[in-house]
Amino acid sequence: MTNREIVVSGIRPTGDVHLGNYFGAIANFIKMQHEYNCYFFIADYHALTTHPDAKELPIFVRDALSIYLACGLDPDQCTLYIQSHLPQIPELYLLFNMLAYKGELEKIPTFKEKVRSQEALGKSINAGLLTYPVLMCVDIIIHRAQKVPVGKDQESHLEITRTFANRFNYMTGSSFFPEPYGFSYGNTLLRVPSLDNSGKMSKSEGNPSASIFLKDEDKTIRQKIMRATSDSGPTVPNQTKPDAIANLFDLLRLVSSPDTVAHFDEQYNQCTIRYGDLKKQLAEDMVRCVAPLRERYQAIAADTNYLRRVVQEGGEKARISANATLQGAKELIGLSYF
Ligand code: TYM
């Protein structure tokens, strides 16, 4: 275990986990746990930057943990914990806030997007939202991770994480923190589109019928897919696919066999495709993918003792690693006296 590369990733408990989270992140976690030294967590502090509702948080945390386990994360193969169970994270976050500049944080695209969406809801922008990338950087470097399995939307956060890690190394004349990079077995980081062609699938923002949640019943999945935005045409052979159709094909590639994708591609290129048929096939393949996860989720979510044990044991392991990093970083900064 000790000479394996270190991997960290997490999910924010701000709503129901969807297929974007699954294919963009969790599906990679499942495979990586057998090949790397993996730390996977639930980013409850991050949830508070936009969802400070104490009634919902415990429900979403339990859900996210149950989904992790239902998808196949094995507490014997990886370390599973809750972010707020590691007191070393806020301490290192405080130190890294001294290394992060207001101007660079304000320029990060995800901050600008969050400002827009919070303001649209009439909500205020708290300082935690501005320093969100500092906290995310600390989540990653607290175990000195090299690989971070995430979706494409997290790219700018990884770039700034490398900037902060390098800045720390430069300021302390060390090479204490490695440079972490995004990771996906498919090589490029994924972006799973929403069903209404309005962007990516998401937990909390936007239209809930445009995302497939891992808790969705078969009937709901079929309804959502049949109502997904499509288009007319094509009218000319081998025409470039319009965005809405390209999205349906992207989804098909995630859940259907290569033969099925090739079959509909050929029909598209010959102008014989019927989008109703494509959607029916897509819906069935999605049901086949989601139904077993949902059933396992339901059984696991009901077992409070098991969930508690998983995060207690995971927290203990994660705190040992986090403590070693924090003490090393404090010494390099000069915070060690007498
Ligand atoms: P969050 O909770 O928004 O999403 C969790 C993971 O799912 C990925 N994802 C997607 N991938 C493809 N297509 C989509 N439509 C899609 N939607 C979400 C995200 O990229 C992410 O990998 N900031 C993070 C949580 C976090 C974190 C970290 C991640 C906090 N600290 C440290 C990695 C390492 C977030 O909001 O993810």
Side-chain angles (χ1 to χ4, degrees):
M1 202 64 157
T2 43
N3 50 9
R4 288 183 175 189
E5 272 191 299
I6 299 171
V7 169
V8 168
S9 197
I11 190 164
R12 245 176 343 143
T14 52
D16 289 337
V17 177
H18 52 76
L19 276 187
N21 303 129
Y22 181 73
F23 285 109
I26 301 172
N28 287 308
F29 302 180
I30 306 306
K31 221 167 145 190
M32 289 181 101
Q33 66 182 336
H34 302 292
E35 296 168 19
Y36 298 92
N37 184 4
C38 293
Y39 295 86
F40 299 122
F41 68 98
I42 296 166
D44 53 345
Y45 284 141
H46 275 108
L48 294 178
T49 60
T50 54
H51 291 67
D53 186 338
K55 283 194 297 301
E56 286 187 330
L57 196 57
I59 299 170
F60 289 146
V61 168
R62 172 190 281 261
D63 265 11
L65 178 63
S66 309
I67 292 270
Y68 270 169
L69 294 161
C71 291
L73 282 188
D74 176 351
D76 292 329
Q77 298 292 327
C78 64
T79 305
L80 272 176
Y81 61 95
I82 297 174
Q83 185 184 33
S84 65
H85 288 182
L86 269 58
Q88 295 82 4
I89 288 181
E91 194 171 343
L92 193 61
Y93 167 62
L94 173 92
L95 299 175
F96 266 71
N97 272 323
M98 317 301 177
L99 296 179
Y101 307 131
K102 176 174 162 277
E104 67 189 342
L105 293 171
E106 281 170 343
K107 273 195 250 148
I108 297 175
T110 47
F111 175 67
K112 292 192 198 160
E113 273 164 38
K114 290 240 170 77
V115 168
R116 270 196 298 275
S117 57
Q118 287 290 100
E119 283 177 347
L121 295 169
K123 291 187 180 172
S124 53
I125 314 300
N126 59 50
L129 201 55
L130 180 67
T131 56
Y132 183 115
V134 184
L135 183 57
M136 177 155 164
C137 162
V138 168
D139 290 332
I140 295 168
I141 64 171
I142 197 79
H143 305 297
R144 299 166 78 192
Q146 291 121 302
K147 286 194 164 58
V148 189
V150 282
K152 199 164 173 46
D153 59 315
Q154 299 297 317
E155 251 171 353
S156 60
H157 288 152
L158 292 177
E159 199 181 321
I160 196 88
T161 295
R162 289 190 289 275
T163 302
F164 295 151
N166 285 329
R167 195 172 290 158
F168 177 96
N169 289 346
Y170 179 76
M171 289 169 101
T172 57
S174 74
S175 51
F176 190 60
F177 290 114
E179 276 193 330
Y181 283 89
F183 179 87
S184 166
Y185 280 102
N187 288 327
T188 49
L189 303 185
L190 262 189
R191 174 187 173 279
V192 177
S194 65
L195 300 174
D196 61 358
N197 194 23
S198 69
K200 62 180 180 73
M201 277 194 195
S202 81
K203 281 192 241 91
S204 42
E205 298 94 34
N207 170 8
S209 53
S211 296
I212 301 286
F213 299 106
L214 300 190
K215 282 162 77 177
D216 280 346
E217 295 295 332
D218 297 352
K219 190 169 150 235
T220 312
I221 296 175
R222 291 192 179 101
Q223 274 170 353
K224 285 182 176 178
I225 298 290
M226 294 317 286
R227 288 181 196 148
T229 308
S230 61
D231 208 314
S232 56
T235 48
V236 184
N238 302 316
Q239 204 177 314
T240 307
K241 295 185 181 84
D243 287 348
I245 303 305
N247 288 345
L248 290 177
F249 273 87
D250 281 350
L251 294 169
L252 201 66
R253 265 187 287 277
L254 293 174
V255 292
S256 304
S257 71
D259 285 352
T260 305
V261 180
H263 166 77
F264 285 108
D265 237 340
E266 200 183 312
Q267 288 197 337
Y268 180 86
N269 287 330
Q270 292 170 353
C271 305
T272 55
I273 192 162
R274 293 195 327 198
Y275 293 128
D277 293 345
L278 182 151
K279 286 180 177 179
K280 265 189 211 141
Q281 180 71 47
L282 179 60
E284 290 321 305
D285 291 339
M286 285 222 169
V287 165
R288 207 158 26 82
C289 167
V290 173
L293 302 179
R294 181 187 63 232
E295 280 154 24
R296 277 202 298 275
Y297 154 80
Q298 283 160 350
I300 291 168
D303 192 346
T304 303
N305 287 337
Y306 174 59
L307 296 176
R308 190 181 301 121
R309 201 172 61 241
V310 166
V311 291
Q312 270 172 358
E313 289 174 7
E316 269 166 38
K317 276 201 271 174
R319 281 190 293 275
I320 293 172
S321 151
N323 209 37
T325 306
L326 177 65
Q327 296 320 319
K330 282 172 81 173
E331 258 173 51
L332 285 166
I333 292 171
L335 288 161
S336 73
Y337 317 116
F338 315 114

